[in-house]
Amino acid sequence: MHLLIFDIDGTLATFAGITRVAFNQTFEHLFGQPGPWGQVLPHGKTDRAILRECLDVVQINGNFDAMFSKFVDNYLRDLQQALQTASKPRLMPGVRELLERLATNNTACLALGTGNVEEAARMKLRHLNVESFFPVGGFGEFTDERSELLADAVDNAARHFQCTFPPKNTWVIGDTTYDIEGAQALGLRALAVATGGLFSSDDLRRAKPDLLFEDLSDTEHVIKSLNLSD
Ligand SMILES: [Mg+2]
């Protein structure tokens, strides 16, 4: 069996600034000043790491776990609201077709590997009607490190699907060098896709992914490249 671990932002979908709006709104509400989201380059980072860096930038100290927990409660409400009022979230090219094909492929299991906290991840995917493809995953509430959330994704998938996935058949699919490095740290394979905007395909190539695509629009080619049998 193969396990395919998908990143969300920049890979499955774009939320066109909605995450930033919600994050900054929550930050301002809780800490009384605008969130310095633009100064921390959130791409590829966990929600936990992003909040920690933002607090460092504006020099707010305190019990981080307590602040993070309060932040998440407020952020989920702000994100839900931002998704309702926004018109621009969309899946990346070819993603729905690819997910539909993979769902009927009996050699592939799907999981999420995202820096979003789980409920934010599910809210975003529900909004685009693709949440049900992902019964399980690794998320951003427990760690600042991408490789750790990917390890969670592998463990949770093994439990959920009652299956041990060999590392050579376990793919991390993402749009940043952090996704690639996280996969490599665990001895997993990396499929990079240059749809995220921050990293060009040349940037991604330098991190030496096993596969690199401009986007996921060529479903047959992606399936073949992953060595999935039909
Ligand atoms: Mg991403």
Side-chain angles (χ1 to χ4, degrees):
M1 287 297 279
H2 288 65
L3 177 63
L4 310 182
I5 303 171
F6 282 86
D7 168 57
I8 296 180
D9 299 272
T11 301
L12 288 176
T14 173
F15 292 88
I18 292 166
T19 310
R20 174 176 49 78
V21 168
F23 188 96
N24 278 339
Q25 190 177 333
T26 308
F27 195 93
E28 185 154 11
H29 172 70
L30 289 183
F31 303 112
Q33 55 185 304
W37 174 274
Q39 293 175 56
V40 305
L41 286 182
H43 304 71
K45 295 180 182 162
T46 69
D47 285 350
R48 197 178 163 83
I50 296 166
L51 180 65
R52 197 190 298 279
E53 287 189 34
C54 285
L55 291 170
D56 278 351
V57 168
V58 300
Q59 299 185 324
I60 291 176
N61 304 305
N63 179 330
F64 179 75
D65 285 332
M67 287 193 285
F68 181 67
S69 158
K70 194 166 176 196
F71 186 87
V72 169
D73 287 347
N74 283 266
Y75 170 66
L76 291 173
R77 191 196 56 217
D78 290 338
L79 180 63
Q80 181 73 58
Q81 206 168 45
L83 283 167
Q84 299 309 323
T85 51
S87 56
K88 292 198 185 137
R90 62 175 171 79
L91 292 174
M92 291 299 187
V95 163
R96 188 176 301 279
E97 296 76 6
L98 179 61
L99 294 178
E100 283 170 358
R101 273 295 298 279
L102 291 172
T104 61
N105 183 299
N106 50 24
T107 66
C109 294
L110 304 188
L112 292 169
T114 170
N116 287 276
V117 298
E118 179 164 9
E119 187 47 36
R122 299 216 165 274
M123 203 181 276
K124 287 177 173 183
L125 296 183
R126 232 173 358 248
H127 189 74
L128 294 168
N129 208 22
V130 290
E131 190 212 350
S132 60
F133 288 105
F134 300 100
V136 74
F139 302 93
E141 50 262 78
F142 306 112
T143 177
D144 290 13
E145 295 296 326
R146 192 120 200 136
S147 59
E148 289 181 11
L149 74 83
L150 293 172
D152 285 348
V154 171
D155 290 347
N156 292 337
R159 238 188 330 268
H160 177 84
F161 295 109
Q162 302 272 297
C163 178
T164 304
F165 300 97
K168 71 177 173 55
N169 290 346
T170 302
W171 288 87
V172 173
I173 300 167
D175 67 301
T176 71
T177 54
Y178 303 105
D179 300 89
I180 301 169
E181 289 157 4
Q184 290 167 344
L186 299 173
L188 310 178
R189 310 191 77 180
L191 185 163
V193 58
T195 42
L198 183 65
F199 294 91
S200 68
S201 42
D202 284 343
D203 296 332
L204 294 168
R205 188 173 293 112
R206 276 192 284 277
K208 300 193 168 42
D210 299 279
L211 292 170
L212 172 62
F213 298 120
E214 285 300 322
D215 61 36
L216 297 174
S217 60
D218 189 341
T219 311
E220 294 310 317
H221 184 53
V222 174
I223 300 235
K224 251 196 199 104
S225 304
L226 292 168
N227 285 323
L228 299 175
S229 49
D230 264 324

